């Protein structure tokens, strides 16, 4: 049962990324970080790409509040939830990447509204790495660690 729920979660996450989701969709999830005072903050963000429940990438600005918070404290949580049909909560840590190959791989057309291409010095990729999960799908729950 645990493996079935994990596979369903992975499929849901893939459908909710820009690079794997349906054409024209506007996927999003909630990203929770810690502020400079150690308090939680949460905001919606568009996932660019994911590898199962292991990692999820997001594109943003190097000077953004999210990037600055991650540099101060890498602890994070990501939540996918829609209409009460499922709740996928992942906890772990994040990194801010400016590696050219990663910036090019994660780039998607919507980013052109904010940056001058994947080589724009203000553009970066946030990579979330899962360490534990709490999945509720089809009225079944599983909790675990990676």
């Amino acid at each position: 049962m645990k493996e079935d729920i994990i596979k369903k979660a992975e499929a849901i996450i893939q459908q909710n990324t820009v690079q794997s989701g349906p054409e024209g969709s506007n996927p999003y999830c909630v990203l929770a970080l810690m502020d400079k005072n150690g308090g939680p903050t949460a905001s919606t963000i568009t996932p660019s790409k994911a590898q199962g429940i292991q990692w999820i990438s997001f594109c943003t600005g190097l000077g953004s509040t999210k990037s600055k918070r991650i540099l101060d404290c890498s602890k994070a949580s990501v939540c996918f939830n829609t209409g009460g049909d499922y709740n996928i909560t992942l906890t772990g840590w994040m990194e801010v990447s400016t590696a050219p190959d990663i910036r090019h791989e994660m780039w998607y057309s919507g980013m052109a509204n904010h940056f001058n291409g994947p080589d724009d010095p203000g553009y970066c990729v946030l990579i979330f790495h899962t360490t534990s999960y709490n999945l509720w799908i089809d009225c079944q729950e599983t909790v675990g660690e990676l």
Side-chain angles (χ1 to χ4, degrees):
M1 178 180 86
K2 180 177 186 172
E3 292 79 20
D4 291 341
I5 296 173
I6 291 172
K7 289 203 180 301
K8 287 179 182 181
E10 291 175 339
I12 290 167
I13 291 169
Q14 286 303 316
Q15 293 169 359
N16 284 285
T17 64
V18 172
Q19 294 190 8
S20 298
E23 183 71 28
S25 66
N26 293 312
Y28 69 91
C29 63
V30 174
L31 172 63
L33 301 168
M34 303 301 282
D35 69 15
K36 64 182 178 181
N37 298 317
T41 64
S43 58
T44 56
I45 189 168
T46 301
S48 175
K49 190 174 183 178
Q51 178 64 50
I53 63 171
Q54 287 79 29
W55 61 263
I56 304 167
S57 67
F58 308 91
C59 300
T60 193
L62 191 55
S64 72
T65 302
K66 290 175 186 71
S67 297
K68 291 175 183 174
R69 287 181 176 149
I70 292 165
L71 293 173
D72 287 339
C73 178
S74 65
K75 292 180 182 180
S77 182
V78 174
C79 182
F80 291 84
N81 181 318
T82 184
D85 295 332
Y86 56 81
N87 188 74
I88 299 168
T89 302
L90 309 173
T91 56
W93 61 278
M94 295 194 81
E95 65 177 305
V96 177
S97 177
T98 57
D101 57 331
I102 292 174
R103 289 165 30 139
H104 280 264
E105 180 183 353
M106 302 307 163
W107 180 265
Y108 57 92
S109 62
M111 297 311 297
N113 295 328
H114 309 283
F115 302 100
N116 295 321
D119 295 316
D120 187 313
Y123 164 67
C124 69
V125 177
L126 310 178
I127 305 171
F128 173 81
H129 301 271
T130 303
T131 57
S132 62
Y133 56 86
N134 185 333
L135 311 173
W136 184 82
I137 302 171
D138 295 336
C139 296
Q140 297 177 333
E141 183 178 35
T142 188
V143 177
E145 295 182 7
L146 294 185

